[in-house]
Amino acid sequence: MIVLKLGGSAITDKDRPETLDGDALDSAAAAIASSLEGDVDDLVIVHGGGSFGHHNASEHGVTTSEGTHEAAAAMDIHGAMTTLNRFVLGRLHERGVQAVPVHPFSTAHRDADADLTLPTGQVETLLEEGFVPVLHGDLVAHAGEGATVVSGDELVVDLARSLGADRVGLCSTVPGVLDADDAVVERISAYEDVESVLGDSDATDVTGGMAAKVRALLALEAPASIFGLEELEPFLDGSNPGTTIE
Ligand code: IP8
């Protein structure tokens, strides 16, 4: 069972608002389709926002900790993410993947301490029934804040833990975690291994910084890989491209 994140920047044109990188998304869909025809049975996909969702969230001043109580703002941000989700599903369907949406806004919430609860009964049942559930960074109900952002990375870590994933993959715009000479670090088993290149471990970025990703992935039981788009197929086929975090 694999939890795969398609990074928002990897499948959209980050410089132009609400613009897909159609070629990148299509090549990701092709790799996913071919792995499902091969050895991969259970796959859960999570995608980020890239040029969708983030600018809407910042226009409304909404972050993972600062929420909104306005339905119009919530619809704007959630709407951008569901638009991207439909594009992702569409490309997967063109390749024959039985992909269906699971919208975190309809299922997850944060308590007053910002702890996320993400039910997975529907994801597990969809997997058992042969579907590929596709979640995405979204808004979530947040006690005392209204609705706040939940990033795809946070969903991946939560899902991997509650579903007992065997492997976790983060398909990114970079070929892995890079060292000071821009070479890919092959393996990270402790944050200290990369602290000098990623910065000190008190950094608190929760939506996308590499330091935050590495720390969250180190805390998982399942091994995780960070790799570029061209390595998606090898990853799904069982090899460990890019950086392995375990
Ligand atoms: O790109 C972004 O998800 P991410 C979600 O995984 C929103 O951080 C609503 C901006």
Side-chain angles (χ1 to χ4, degrees):
M1 137 70 157
I2 298 177
V3 176
L4 172 68
K5 162 119 191 258
L6 296 176
S9 326
I11 56 168
T12 68
D13 181 345
K14 240 195 156 171
D15 298 328
R16 280 187 281 172
E18 311 222 341
T19 308
L20 208 59
D21 183 338
D23 290 344
L25 180 54
D26 194 45
S27 86
I32 290 164
S34 110
S35 77
L36 290 165
E37 280 158 22
D39 288 341
V40 174
D41 283 329
D42 288 341
L43 177 65
V44 178
I45 298 174
V46 178
H47 65 78
S51 67
F52 292 75
H54 287 279
H55 70 97
N56 312 74
S58 74
E59 263 167 33
H60 296 290
V62 178
T63 66
T64 53
S65 54
E66 306 281 322
T68 180
H69 287 90
E70 288 188 19
M75 290 311 295
D76 196 23
I77 302 163
H78 173 68
M81 292 307 300
T82 54
T83 298
L84 177 56
N85 185 245
R86 269 195 299 278
F87 284 130
V88 173
L89 291 168
R91 295 295 171 119
L92 289 166
H93 296 157
E94 283 169 15
R95 298 277 174 177
V97 176
Q98 304 304 316
V100 290
V102 174
H103 302 300
F105 197 22
S106 307
T107 69
H109 71 277
R110 293 188 199 280
D111 65 16
D113 295 325
D115 286 333
L116 181 71
T117 300
L118 176 69
T120 53
Q122 82 285 56
V123 174
E124 287 167 69
T125 307
L126 288 168
L127 286 172
E128 278 159 23
E129 297 301 319
F131 290 102
V132 175
V134 184
L135 295 85
H136 51 86
D138 203 351
L139 286 184
V140 279
H142 188 149
E145 280 295 331
T148 54
V149 169
V150 64
S151 74
D153 288 351
E154 195 178 352
L155 297 170
V156 163
V157 168
D158 205 284
L159 283 167
R161 204 168 272 137
S162 42
L163 297 172
D166 301 302
R167 303 174 72 216
V168 174
L170 264 61
C171 181
S172 170
T173 45
V174 285
V177 176
L178 304 179
D179 69 14
D181 302 319
D182 278 352
V184 173
V185 178
E186 262 181 43
R187 182 165 297 272
I188 301 172
S189 49
Y191 193 77
E192 296 75 65
D193 297 353
V194 284
E195 189 166 350
S196 59
V197 281
L198 294 185
D200 108 32
S201 55
D202 290 335
T204 51
D205 52 343
V206 282
T207 58
M210 193 57 94
K213 278 194 220 303
V214 168
R215 276 196 301 277
L217 295 173
L218 273 169
L220 280 181
E221 221 166 279
S225 299
I226 299 179
F227 49 82
L229 188 56
E230 53 295 336
E231 305 290 352
L232 175 55
E233 194 156 354
F235 168 78
L236 291 170
D237 288 345
S239 52
N240 296 307
T243 301
T244 303
I245 300 171
E246 64 181 336

